Amino acid sequence: VVARLRSSCESLSEENLAKLGVELFNCQAEIEGRRTFPCTEEMTIKECTADMDPDTWNAYHILSNRARSVCYATRQQLFRHRAELTVNSLISTATSQLDAMKDLKVGQLELKELTAASLDKLLEGHSALQYQQDKLHEGQEHMEGSLRENMERLGQEKALIASGQELVAQLIQGITKRMENVSEYLQVQSSEVQDNHKAIVDDLAGVRHQAQDIYQKIGI
């Protein structure tokens, strides 16, 4: 009966508690040499107590109430132990959660610092890249301006060269014409040969000076 009370008191119903009272009564009655009342698991409590007289039933009731008191006390003790275990488990869980929250807070601070440092480096890199792009754009504009100036200067030099070539061609053509005229008059007017020769020499000298001036203008 004691073993059954310790092992299954928590799950005993009122019917089983009443049967437990009958078993305890039978133990006491057997010691005193009195009549016992069989009570198996298949029997109902009514069948177990049907043959009891009023005095026996009162004695059974006293033992049954004591069995209930013992069982209730066992249940309360078990409940207290379970409550203590639950509270201890909750405290342990809460402590673990607090530690985890502290670790999470530290991790968040570290992540915040790393994020701030990364943003600073990103902004610094962006500023440097913007500065390089501005310099590159400025260099491109300067190069384009230089190319335009060089092209304009080259066009002017080409025009000057063309003008000089045209002037030289005209001078050569005039000289050639004069030489032809001199050749025609050599046979008729020998006295004028020297004068014409001198004029040709003067013209050639003038052509040479003009050619030198043109070459100096075109930078050759």
Side-chain angles (χ1 to χ4, degrees):
V1 172
V2 173
R4 180 179 176 185
L5 186 64
R6 288 180 178 177
S7 62
S8 60
C9 184
E10 180 185 5
S11 59
L12 287 177
S13 63
E14 289 296 323
E15 180 82 7
N16 290 329
L17 281 174
K19 290 182 179 180
L20 184 61
V22 175
E23 292 177 0
L24 291 175
F25 175 80
N26 287 333
C27 291
Q28 184 65 27
E30 185 177 357
I31 293 173
E32 295 177 358
R34 298 178 183 273
R35 179 185 174 186
T36 59
F37 301 89
C39 187
T40 62
E41 293 183 1
E42 292 78 12
M43 297 173 62
T44 64
I45 187 62
K46 182 179 180 179
E47 294 175 343
C48 293
T49 60
D51 296 335
M52 291 184 180
D53 55 54
D55 294 334
T56 303
W57 193 86
N58 288 332
Y60 148 73
H61 236 287
I62 293 173
L63 289 176
S64 179
N65 289 334
R66 289 181 179 178
R68 279 187 172 84
S69 298
V70 172
C71 194
Y72 290 154
T74 303
R75 289 178 180 178
Q76 290 177 357
Q77 185 179 8
L78 181 61
F79 175 79
R80 185 171 60 253
H81 289 326
R82 287 184 176 179
E84 290 177 355
L85 290 175
T86 303
V87 171
N88 291 335
S89 178
L90 289 175
I91 292 174
S92 177
T93 303
T95 303
S96 299
Q97 290 180 351
L98 288 175
D99 293 338
M101 291 177 66
K102 290 180 181 178
D103 294 337
L104 180 61
K105 183 178 179 180
V106 173
Q108 288 178 346
L109 291 175
E110 293 178 354
L111 180 61
K112 183 179 179 180
E113 293 177 356
L114 291 175
T115 303
S118 299
L119 288 176
D120 292 338
K121 289 184 179 179
L122 181 62
L123 291 175
E124 183 179 355
H126 180 71
S127 299
L129 180 61
Q130 185 67 34
Y131 178 77
Q132 291 178 357
Q133 288 180 348
D134 293 339
K135 287 293 184 181
L136 180 61
H137 183 67
E138 182 179 353
Q140 288 178 347
E141 290 181 350
H142 180 70
M143 184 177 64
E144 290 177 357
S146 298
L147 288 175
R148 285 195 298 268
E149 292 179 358
N150 291 332
M151 292 297 294
E152 292 176 357
R153 185 178 299 175
L154 182 61
Q156 293 175 359
E157 291 178 354
K158 286 183 178 179
L160 185 59
I161 290 173
S163 177
Q165 288 178 348
E166 184 178 358
L167 181 58
V168 171
Q170 290 177 357
L171 291 173
I172 292 174
Q173 186 178 1
I175 292 171
T176 302
K177 189 174 182 179
R178 284 189 179 187
M179 290 180 68
E180 289 177 355
N181 291 332
V182 169
S183 297
E184 291 177 356
Y185 286 104
L186 281 176
Q187 297 177 358
V188 180
Q189 299 178 354
S190 58
S191 60
E192 297 179 358
V193 170
Q194 294 179 355
D195 296 335
N196 291 331
H197 180 71
K198 184 179 179 180
I200 291 172
V201 172
D202 294 337
D203 290 339
L204 289 174
V207 169
R208 186 180 63 184
H209 289 304
Q210 291 181 2
Q212 289 178 353
D213 293 338
I214 292 172
Y215 290 153
Q216 290 176 358
K217 289 181 180 181
I218 65 177
I220 298 178

